[in-house]
Amino acid sequence: MSNSSSMPQFLLLALADRWELQLLHFWLFLNISLAALLANGLILSAVACNHHLHTPRYFFLLNLSLTDLGCICTTVPKAMHNSLWDTTTISYTGCAAQLFLLVFFLRAEFSLLTIMCYDRYVAICKPLHYGTLLGSRACAHMAAAAWATGFLIALLHTVNTFSLPLCQGNALGQFFCEIPHVLKLSCSHSGYLREIGFLWFTISLAFGCFVFIVFSYVQIFRAVLRIPSQQGRHKAFSTCLPHLAVVSLFVSTAIIAYLKPPSISSPSLDLVVSVLYVVVPPSLNPLIYSLRNQELKDAIRKTMTGCF
């Protein structure tokens, strides 16, 4: 990363142009981050401390909560700091670290969502093989693969992006460090095209996961509709709908963030979309998973009672 000496820092997008509004953003982000930390922390504690939740489904949910905590802790604290102290700077090293961690957690999260879909598919479509296909060792290997994939992809993008010569200033049009906005500062055409190629490779992997999720849910819904009892169908749907809602939230916000037409792009709209993409899903995921899950709610209540 040879650019660090020539470009010691970047300028992030200010959340507002008035101090009062920046203070409002600080308190808003503080409340959102505290809610996300509390909710995901309760899920982690409930799954870890209650032995009847030591199942593949909740093991992957625990890992998902870790990625949600990582996403919140990667972007929000710096935005809060800049709002409170009325600054927009981030160091070169800090920007590289933030970009790496964000790609790492987001990629790992989507991989985990794909694995969780596979878990629901096996549980509903192949229940007799559930113990064999999703044993403790298989679950550990799948979770490790999700984290390793996120790490390798994040390392690939970070090293390539920050090895490019940057000569278009140091102002990023975003309140956190993101690959497209760093690439806009590059003056290396070949390096730019190389990173675009890496991005398309990552998008292709994500699209493959998305196709797998869609195909799995088609099979799941077909299997559920063949269940004779209404109670059985309701129970099966109740275990799938939270995951489907989380996947829909993740994919829809990502599509809006990266595939919206350039003609409707503006700094204020990009800011809102980025908040929806990076901040909202990690905050809502615990609520979505626990809203209709009585087993998880009882475990959380038991954990909170034990703490107090």
Side-chain angles (χ1 to χ4, degrees):
M1 297 187 182
S2 58
N3 289 318
S4 57
S5 58
S6 59
M7 186 173 292
Q9 64 183 15
F10 292 97
L11 299 178
L12 299 175
L13 181 67
L15 294 174
D17 54 359
R18 290 168 51 193
W19 163 247
E20 295 82 2
L21 291 177
Q22 288 193 18
L23 201 58
L24 178 63
H25 282 110
F26 169 80
W27 286 111
L28 179 63
F29 274 169
L30 178 63
N31 289 326
I32 291 175
S33 59
L34 288 177
L37 290 172
L38 177 62
N40 285 290
L42 284 173
I43 288 180
L44 289 173
S45 301
V47 174
C49 298
N50 291 271
H51 292 287
H52 68 281
L53 295 184
H54 291 180
T55 63
R57 179 187 176 189
Y58 291 108
F59 170 71
F60 294 130
L61 179 58
L62 182 146
N63 281 269
L64 187 71
S65 293
L66 288 174
T67 62
D68 286 338
L69 286 173
C71 288
I72 285 287
C73 294
T74 297
T75 56
V76 173
K78 183 60 180 177
M80 291 168 55
H81 172 272
N82 285 358
S83 294
L84 187 61
W85 297 105
D86 194 22
T87 182
T88 60
T89 61
I90 184 172
S91 67
Y92 183 93
T93 305
C95 185
Q98 190 180 66
L99 188 148
F100 170 81
L101 290 172
L102 186 61
V103 175
F104 170 52
F105 287 120
L106 288 176
R107 178 61 229 189
E109 177 160 351
F110 196 54
S111 296
L112 286 167
L113 288 173
T114 306
I115 294 170
M116 293 171 78
C117 177
Y118 175 70
D119 168 71
R120 292 298 85 205
Y121 168 77
V122 175
I124 293 175
C125 299
K126 300 180 181 294
L128 297 179
H129 301 282
Y130 189 80
T132 304
L133 296 175
L134 285 159
S136 57
R137 181 174 295 183
C139 291
H141 287 167
M142 285 188 282
W147 289 103
T149 301
F151 178 84
L152 292 175
I153 288 178
L155 185 65
L156 175 71
H157 284 298
T158 305
V159 170
N160 186 69
T161 299
F162 284 89
S163 65
L164 300 176
L166 307 177
C167 59
Q168 304 292 331
N170 65 339
L172 300 175
Q174 185 59 279
F175 75 94
F176 59 90
C177 290
E178 197 176 26
I179 293 174
H181 291 86
V182 178
L183 285 181
K184 289 179 181 178
L185 307 180
S186 171
C187 51
S188 172
H189 185 66
S190 60
Y192 178 88
L193 292 178
R194 184 171 64 246
E195 178 56 26
I196 293 297
F198 289 153
L199 283 173
W200 275 111
F201 171 72
T202 303
I203 292 171
S204 299
L205 290 179
F207 182 72
C209 292
F210 179 73
V211 170
F212 176 82
I213 291 172
V214 172
F215 174 79
S216 298
Y217 268 108
V218 170
Q219 301 301 315
I220 288 171
F221 289 148
R222 289 176 61 185
V224 170
L225 292 175
R226 288 197 297 265
I227 297 176
S229 67
Q230 184 177 355
Q231 184 179 2
R233 289 195 298 270
H234 180 269
K235 183 178 180 180
F237 275 126
S238 66
T239 63
C240 296
L241 291 181
H243 176 265
L244 189 59
V246 170
V247 171
S248 300
L249 180 65
F250 186 93
V251 172
S252 60
T253 52
I255 289 175
I256 294 172
Y258 291 108
L259 297 181
K260 65 181 183 299
S263 58
I264 66 171
S265 181
S266 67
S268 57
L269 178 62
D270 292 346
L271 180 61
V272 172
V273 169
S274 299
V275 171
L276 289 175
Y277 173 51
V278 176
V279 179
V280 172
S283 306
L284 289 183
N285 286 352
L287 178 64
I288 293 173
Y289 269 106
S290 60
L291 193 62
R292 299 184 63 183
N293 189 328
Q294 191 61 44
E295 186 179 31
L296 182 58
K297 285 194 287 188
D298 291 341
I300 291 174
R301 193 177 299 113
K302 180 181 177 182
T303 301
M304 294 178 66
T305 305
C307 291
F308 294 107

